Amino acid sequence: QGGHFSESLEVRVGSRGRGVFATAPIKHGDLLVRLPFSAAVRPTSGCERLKELCEGGECSSVLALALTVLHELHVASPRTPYFEDLAAAPPPGVPLLWPEEDVMRLAGSSLLPTKDGDSAAAKASAVVAAAAATASFEEDVRPVMTAVGIEYLPPEVCTQTFFFGALAWVMSRGLQGRVSYELGSHSFCPCLSASGPQGSAVGPFHLPLFDLLNHSSHEAQRCTTLARANDGDAFEMRAKRDLSVGEEALWSYGSHGAAELLRTYGFVESSRNPYSTVMLTREEVAAAAVANSASLKKQPGDAKTAEARIQALEKAGRLPVVFTVRSDGDGNVTKVPEALLTAVQVLVMSKEEFGEWLAAGSIALGEGFLDEESLGSVVGCLLKISDSCLQRYPSAKAFSSGSSSHSSLGLMCKALKEEERQLILEFKKAVFLLAVAEEDVGEEGEEEELLEEEEEEVEEDEEDEEPAQDTRQAKKRRIDLA
């Protein structure tokens, strides 16, 4: 009642899987889909006990929605048409549901950041991810299941397999409330604790019909907008431009890189993602700082000192769960992220500077705090981080061409790693540009020459199929890294 699905649309299978396509010309501004808010599947739909737990701060909205979906899929009889459709569909292809041998294919990516070819480390990381998911189920989920009661959730459906299957639908189809991953980049299970990050004030929830539309990271391909109707009692999706017959109606799930798309939605796009992202762990950053400083006899010098400074950054709220390197929407990296640059600056500070930083309130740093004395150590550490990260990935020759976003799982994993590897190469350019800018090199074309030299060295390393080497020695004439 009060809903609308345009007669000029149909649901069918296309190159992205099942999606929504135009069967007749559609004009800019035309109403495509309308759904009353009352038809949304909300975290506490139909369960007063879940509502009480959420209002009392004992259950997160993401967990409540997952338990609602679990009930509708495995307890409710008869199912509503929406959940009958979900029950008949293949489960989302998120890594949370993958067996261990498939998770290991992610080795080297931001989702499983181990060195390429190190199968033992990949297996160990896959085991850690599985153990973290199991711990979350036992500590965060099972107590809430018990509190809800056996009438809503009978014992036979309160299994980890059933629950994660329901959670996967929330991850991949939930709207108006992002899931968060607070256990680090190794984790494929979102934060479910009531004390963890929450979604928006009204979400997340499922909107039948709307969640059939597929995603595109490319603005030119997106052709729909989603908004609350003027009366506030319904959601409407309208055409943001004209659509031709046969064109798929696409919108955006958000500005996500391949790792986030795969982890949350279960796919990787075939074309280059303009929002490419690489996640770096704090352990990688600290290890690179130690390795870079050892030969220079500068700070941090050893793992103990590095760990103390990492803890200081965390106490000051300057340490994210993971550091994120992002492209700018055009596939380029134009600057070093401030959080990463601040962490590196703190790691390589002298003891006196570190004390001054603490006394100043552990402020955020960045390019404005770079000087001639610190530039070499900071740039050297950033290059060490990028070179270490490049060792995660296979060489360029090992990547197959033409990876498809909806082909085999193996090709998706290769596409993910290839995208990330290219982004790290872009990041290295940003590091050199940072150095050139701070050194105020005045010769015309020197920045381009510097970048060309770096690209040539990377290509030579790949041709020899040897691990990435520290390229700083070739730049000593321009950047004093000592």
Side-chain angles (χ1 to χ4, degrees), residues 93 124 157 160 176 191 220 326:
V157 306
Q160 182 171 315
Q176 300 292 310
C191 181
R326 298 181 185 276

Side-chain angles (χ1 to χ4, degrees), residues 275-315:
Y275 302 102
S276 297
T277 303
V278 172
M279 292 180 279
L280 306 171
T281 67
R282 57 183 68 176
E283 291 80 12
E284 287 180 295
V285 172
V290 172
N292 183 67
S293 65
S295 60
L296 303 177
K297 297 182 180 179
K298 291 188 175 183
Q299 295 293 324
D302 58 69
K304 184 177 180 180
T305 301
E307 179 58 28
R309 297 194 176 186
I310 286 289
Q311 291 178 5
L313 285 161
E314 186 168 29
K315 183 178 180 180

